[in-house]
């Protein structure tokens, strides 16, 4: 199902290729006036440096929407193609269109066994599973409704990180994230998370008491021109690809037929259990 048709299927009125909203007559792929939410479906090739989309492009469009009070969600085409059900689940929740609303007070916090947690992440999270030390879930009897994972930072083993938050498709647990974070905070007095500005402005996290400690500049991944493969920046470290002496990572990547694709940056947030300080 194309993205625009999915939005309409939820009973929302939406404009396709909307112009006259942003400065310079810039286009928004999909705009939902009643929610003041816009969605961009960005083709990785069309939104790469080789097509003129530099590191400022996606962040600038986000800022222009923010100035008009519009929430902009930017999805890449490979996410829509490869993880479509997860993207639709995320958007349905964002639009307030989930068909089950459950209050967190009716749920129980439990540790989630690692196999169940990985399966839940792969089934419902856009990015799928990741490494973690412990998972906390909210259950309604035996049904897992939503979950967070906590683990060590991949470059700093002294820093604990909330690496994933995910809910079951079609379910909204009102107050669920707050209840999960409080449960994790009883065991981990402080931990960090990163909010991807492509899909969230982090307002709900900050309203729960998370502290904004850093705003990270846009970052990038690579797109392989010959195959359309998505290549992580980390995999292109000089030591990983035997970059010759005196050649930059970027120039080596270009010589290998790669081009960079930029995101909008991230917010780093920190949660502290103040009762333990």
């Amino acid at each position: 199902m194309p993205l625009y048709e999915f939005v309409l299927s939820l009973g929302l009125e939406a404009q396709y290729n909307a112009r006259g909203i942003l400065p310079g007559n810039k286009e928004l792929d999909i705009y939902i006036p009643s929610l003041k939410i816009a969605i961009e479906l960005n083709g990785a090739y069309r939104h790469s440096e080789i097509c003129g989309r530099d590191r400022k492009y996606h962040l600038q469009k986000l800022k222009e929407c923010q100035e008009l009070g519009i929430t902009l969600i930017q999805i890449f085409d490979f996410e829509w193609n490869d993880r479509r059900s997860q993207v639709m689940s995320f958007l349905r929740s964002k639009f307030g269109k989930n068909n089950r609303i459950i209050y967190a007070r009716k749920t129980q916090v439990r540790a989630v066994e690692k196999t169940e947690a990985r399966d839940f992440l792969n089934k419902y999270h856009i990015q799928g599973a990741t490494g973690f030390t412990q998972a906390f879930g909210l259950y309604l009897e035996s049904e897992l409704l939503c979950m967070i994972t906590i683990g060590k930072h991949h470059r700093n083993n002294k820093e604990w990180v909330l690496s994933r938050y995910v809910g079951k498709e079609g379910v909204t647990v009102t107050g669920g994230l707050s209840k999960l974070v409080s449960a994790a905070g009883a065991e981990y007095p402080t931990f960090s998370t990163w909010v991807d500005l492509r899909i969230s402005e982090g307002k709900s996290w900050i309203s729960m008491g998370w502290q904004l400690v850093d705003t990270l500049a846009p970052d990038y991944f690579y797109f392989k021109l010959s195959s359309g493969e998505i290549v992580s920046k980390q995999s292109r470290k000089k030591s990983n690809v035997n970059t010759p002496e005196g050649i930059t990572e970027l120039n080596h990547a270009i010589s290998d037929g790669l081009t960079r694709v930029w995101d909008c940056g991230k917010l780093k947030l920190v949660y502290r259990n103040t009762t333990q300080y």
Side-chain angles (χ1 to χ4, degrees), residues 15-42:
Q15 301 172 16
Y16 185 67
N17 292 344
R19 293 188 179 273
I21 299 169
L22 296 184
N25 204 33
K26 292 179 183 176
E27 183 181 276
L28 291 170
D29 291 347
I30 300 169
Y31 180 54
I32 307 166
S34 63
L35 301 178
K36 296 203 76 173
I37 293 177
I39 310 168
E40 293 272 276
L41 183 57
N42 295 334

Side-chain angles (χ1 to χ4, degrees), residues 42-49 53 57-58 76 260-262:
N42 295 334
Y45 171 71
R46 293 288 183 186
H47 285 258
S48 68
E49 283 187 326
R53 304 302 197 236
Y57 179 83
H58 298 106
F76 282 114
R260 291 188 296 191
V261 184
W262 293 89

Side-chain angles (χ1 to χ4, degrees), residues 18-32 35-40 42 56-74 197-198 200-201 203 264:
R19 293 188 179 273
I21 299 169
L22 296 184
N25 204 33
K26 292 179 183 176
E27 183 181 276
L28 291 170
D29 291 347
I30 300 169
Y31 180 54
I32 307 166
L35 301 178
K36 296 203 76 173
I37 293 177
I39 310 168
E40 293 272 276
N42 295 334
K56 298 179 181 178
Y57 179 83
H58 298 106
L59 179 58
Q60 179 61 31
K61 203 162 193 180
L62 173 66
K63 289 180 176 179
E64 289 172 353
C65 284
Q66 288 175 332
E67 289 173 0
L68 296 171
I70 296 171
T71 297
L72 178 62
I73 301 168
Q74 301 186 57
L197 288 168
R198 284 193 303 120
S200 175
E201 297 178 8
K203 293 178 180 178
C264 296

Side-chain angles (χ1 to χ4, degrees), residues 111-147:
V112 185
E113 189 271 329
K114 283 198 171 184
T115 298
E116 182 182 12
R118 290 192 191 96
D119 289 346
F120 196 79
L121 288 170
N122 284 326
K123 189 171 184 179
Y124 298 119
H125 197 282
I126 294 174
Q127 294 176 299
T130 187
F132 61 92
T133 301
Q134 190 171 359
F136 297 82
L138 291 186
Y139 288 84
L140 187 64
E141 297 180 350
S142 62
E143 181 185 10
L144 178 58
L145 301 177
C146 59
M147 184 184 75

